[in-house]
Every structure is written in structure tokens, then in C-alpha cells.
Amino acid sequence: MVNEPVIKRFLDYVKVDTTSDSRSTTFPSTTTQIEFAKQLKAECEKIGLTEVTLDEYGYVMATLPANTNKVLPTIGFIAHMDTAPDFTGKGVKPQVVENYQGGDILLNEKENIKLSPTQFPVLNEKIGETLITTDGTTLLGGDDKAGIAAILTACEHLINHPELPHGKIRIGFTPDEEVGHGADHFDVAKFGCDFAYTVDGSGAPELQSQTFNAASAHIVVQGVSVHPGAAKDKMKNSLLMAYELHSLLPADEVPEKTELFEGFYLLHDLAGSVDLTTMDYIIRDHSKEIFEQRKQKMSEVVATMNARYGEGSFTLTLTDSYYNMSEIIDQHPHVMELATKAFQNLGITPNTDPIRGGTDGARLSFMGLPTPNFFTGTYNGHGRYEFVVASELIAAYKVILEIVKVSTQN
């Protein structure tokens, strides 16, 4: 199974460090993404794709021209090049576990790091599968180099089998998706598709048309630092003020206590001193109405704290990131119907539970390109316990081929 072209591609891609950086002021946020983009551009040209471009922002686009005169939709397939900054992506050493028989997988003997079904029960469903894991010291990069591998392998297959009819296909590889900027400079008009799919999901059989509505909240807490020996009635400890603010948010509405359609507040970065503290939250909800209520709650909490400590002690900046793409995709039901038919033809019953996150497709849908998302076979993304199920990555590449095939039959 490791000799399958899609698996070989994936194993090569993950060794390239493409970690994005949320604190960078450049676009893309890291130069390593540009280097990988150059590699992908060269590969697109080598396998025979046309109109291959790499623009100043790091977006790679290419075309597989139609090989039939039948009027067919132009379909896009999109994946992102960067890996998450949550955990290091430098020096990835993928490990292949063939015919997994259950129990703990020793990722790193020296550091005694194990991938365990006790912690990740989904492993119990993967008995007999070939798994691709990390060595325990990095993330893997299945999110989303698995998607890139699936897309390019499908294109190569169609090029090598000209007897298979297909319409025009466009592919796009984006930078900085993991830091929320994957669609910032995506040229939808240049891409020129009727609709598209991001190949950026988790395990099979995900087929998703719903994401969170998402916003970020940046809070600056201004304290007053004086010598602790003379602090009575003078010091305002911004660290404790930040803690007090956080205590006013609902304690159970956090990622580790929510699922499915339940939204949350996540304090993902906190840094400071007695004098000044910064807090960074992400706010998520599938319901647009409740999403707006969550943002209002954050504003009210900040107002409450300013009333306690003095106006200007807390400064809030709220920024919308993306919206639930179902608002757009539901207006184009044929896009999901096509993918559903492709899944069914392959004997896969799609799981259409909402994404508890976002994809480039969330923003692209609101930019005029309806873009659902489907699986790559990746689990436990963004950390040392990430792994890919080889048969599911192979299935993802076959789904692309089947979507193309079904599109010729309508």
C-alpha cells in the first residue's frame, strides 16, 4: 500500500516544513511555504498540467483541460500548503505501521511517546489498516498535505488515462490557511470555476457543507505596576484582571466541553506582566444568531470590567474571520448532490456532520465559489499524535476521480 502513488507523494510532502506563523507581517507568513509552492508548481508542469501559475502571494493554480466537447461544469479542487503553528512541523519523520493490530503504537522509544487507543479510541476502529504516524516529536502534516497528494494523484491518473472523459478541472493550493488567511488573496475570477471542493477534512467518510461562524477577540489589559511594598490601593495587576475577565465567560462553553453544533470561546493566547496583559480568544458558533450573541457577550464582559477598573483598562478588538458556508452552499444543492453520488458509487455513506472549524471553502463560498469539503484520512491534526489512514487517503483520491466521472453523466 505504501507504493501507491498518493501515499508516496504524501510521504515526500510531509518532510517539507511549511509551518505558518500567525505573528508574521508578510504574506505568506513563512518563506518555507513559497519554497514548497515552487516545488508543487514544478510537479504540476512535470505531470502535464497547463496554465500553471505561482503568484506573488504564494498561490499555485493549474488546469487539466477538458478532453470532451460535451458542455460540462468547470470543477475546482483546493488544498492548503501550510501546516499548523500549534506544534512544530520541522524535521517530520513519518513512520508507517502496516496491518495495525491494536494497542499502543510506540512513536518514539527514546522519549517513550505512545499513540494509544486509551487516549484516542478511534484507533480501535482501524485494526488491520496501514497507518502513517509521526515519530512523536513533530506533527505529521496530513492537514493538508494529504489533500494536495490526493488532488495531484487524481490529476496524474486522468492525464495518464485520456480515455476517461472529463470537463475542465482547476486545482489550487493556498498558503496560510491554518492562520486564517488562506483566502485573503485568492483570485476567484482567475480560478474560473463553477464550484469547487476543499480536500481538507479529517477521517472518512466526511462530506461537509457547514462550518462555524468565526471571530477573533484581542483584549489589551492595562494595569498599574508599582513596587509591591507600596502597592496598597495603587497597584492594578493586569494578570489578575485578565483572570477576572475570563471568569465572567461561561465555564462550560469551551472546546473541551462542546461538540457537534455547540459553539465556544477559546482563550488560546495569554501573555503579560503586572503592567500589561494581552488575551486572544477565538469565538465560534454554527448559528449566526448565537454567534452574534457570543460577540455581544464578549463586549459586555469587557464593559463590565472597565466599569470596575476604570474606562480604558480593557480594550477589545473584535474581528470576524469567516461565516458558516452552508448559507451559500445550500443555494447550490447540486454541488453536494454531485459529491454524495460520487461517495455512494464508491460504497461510502457520507457523514455530513458540521465541521467544528473552518476551511478555505468557508470564505471562498462567500466570495462566489461554492466550496464544500471532504475527508483526507487524517486524524488528531496539529500535534504529535496526528496520523493518516492510508486506505482513506487512497479513497480521497478516488472520490476526486468519481466526482469528475459523475459530472460527465449529468
Side-chain angles (χ1 to χ4, degrees), residues 340-396:
T340 298
K341 178 65 174 174
F343 272 53
Q344 292 170 341
N345 287 354
L346 294 171
I348 303 171
T349 301
N351 174 1
T352 57
D353 285 345
I355 305 171
R356 285 186 61 78
T359 68
D360 281 333
R363 289 182 61 193
L364 293 175
S365 292
F366 283 89
M367 292 163 64
L369 182 66
T371 309
N373 181 60
F374 63 86
F375 68 89
T376 62
T378 300
Y379 295 80
N380 301 341
H382 297 197
R384 72 173 81 239
Y385 300 110
E386 183 182 4
F387 68 93
V388 164
V389 179
S391 66
E392 295 183 19
L393 176 51
I394 293 169

Side-chain angles (χ1 to χ4, degrees), residues 234-248:
K234 301 182 188 71
M235 177 184 285
K236 294 200 298 186
N237 189 331
S238 73
L239 288 164
L240 295 180
M241 292 161 65
Y243 175 81
E244 189 176 345
L245 180 148
H246 184 72
S247 72
L248 298 180

